[in-house]
Amino acid sequence: MTPRLFDYYRSSASYRVRIALNLKGIAYESVPVNLLEGAQKEPAYREVNPQGLVPLLEVDGLRIPQSLAIIAYLDATRPEPPLLPSDPADAAHVRSMALTVACDIHPLNNQRVLKYLTGPLGQDEAEKNRWIARWITEGFAALEAMAAPRAGRFLLGDTPTLADLCLVPQMYNARRFHVPLDDFPLLTRVDAEAAANEAFAAAHPDRVAPAA
């Protein structure tokens, strides 16, 4: 049965999973969940994913939420190409970089947090954008330094890993919110390298956006 990805085109977490599926050559059906219209809160979707979040992947008779859990499952069951190095030290380094994005940057800037800032907390658009820029800039500064000693074409060496799957969607977000990237030449270079890879390019929100 063809895997089904419950997806929102601008979701960073969904974007990571689309890249992983593409890199591994896994055909899948996209099931759009429009976060702006609140589709994730509808009872029918809550039955599929009690968290009411995206992504969720239906695969092998399972329903797997959370992007890093999905990618770990795909890497374990469809191991080529691997997204984590076989060397434990290298794998720990990749996980550390991936989690810098997935745990320390992205959650502070996701839609739920931003809506709370501009809703109950009463912050205006300018303050929201300062909030976004602060956490992306702080996280990217750490990631640039972490990657520098061992980076190649990608964040570790010359092949994509889980860390790159997390970086690329966050770079998209940074540009979307006009966060300056001049201080992050390594991250910018890796992002450009990824953009030349069709598996990454085909997962870009502009390529998967619903028709107007």
Side-chain angles (χ1 to χ4, degrees):
M1 187 173 180
T2 301
R4 296 205 305 164
L5 178 64
F6 292 81
D7 184 15
Y8 180 64
Y9 76 108
R10 275 185 170 166
S11 159
S12 296
S14 296
Y15 191 173
R16 296 170 199 154
V17 173
R18 294 195 302 264
I19 297 168
L21 290 164
N22 292 345
L23 282 168
K24 291 179 176 294
I26 301 169
Y28 67 95
E29 175 190 351
S30 177
V31 182
V33 179
N34 192 320
L35 302 186
L36 295 184
E37 295 178 356
Q40 73 278 18
K41 299 176 183 178
E42 295 294 329
Y45 185 63
R46 290 280 191 173
E47 288 184 13
V48 175
N49 183 359
Q51 281 190 296
L53 302 173
V54 293
L56 179 137
L57 185 68
E58 288 186 343
V59 61
D60 300 340
L62 303 171
R63 286 177 172 170
I64 308 174
Q66 293 290 344
S67 63
L68 269 60
I70 293 168
I71 294 167
Y73 179 82
L74 294 176
D75 218 31
T77 59
R78 283 89 166 162
E80 293 300 325
L83 298 175
L84 279 174
S86 59
D87 177 78
D90 286 346
H93 180 54
V94 166
R95 285 193 180 97
S96 294
M97 292 189 289
L99 291 169
T100 296
V101 175
C103 294
D104 297 336
I105 304 174
H106 172 245
L108 290 167
N109 291 324
N110 70 18
Q111 186 195 56
R112 292 185 300 164
V113 170
L114 298 181
K115 279 189 171 182
Y116 196 77
L117 278 174
T118 56
L121 297 185
Q123 302 301 309
D124 62 18
E125 194 72 11
E127 191 60 37
K128 181 190 83 171
N129 289 336
R130 281 192 290 272
W131 171 275
I132 292 169
R134 172 182 177 157
W135 300 117
I136 291 178
T137 299
E138 185 175 297
F140 275 4
L143 186 58
E144 181 95 1
M146 292 167 70
R150 302 168 70 183
R153 292 168 52 207
F154 292 94
L155 289 176
L156 176 68
D158 293 329
T159 57
T161 67
L162 175 65
D164 304 292
L165 272 61
C166 290
L167 170 66
V168 167
Q170 196 61 57
M171 292 289 283
Y172 168 80
N173 285 343
R175 292 189 175 98
R176 183 180 165 208
F177 291 106
H178 309 292
V179 178
L181 296 172
D182 294 345
D183 291 339
F184 313 116
L186 189 155
L187 303 185
T188 303
R189 176 179 58 73
V190 169
D191 184 58
E193 184 74 36
N197 181 311
E198 179 58 17
F200 284 84
H204 192 282
D206 289 349
R207 294 270 294 268
V208 300

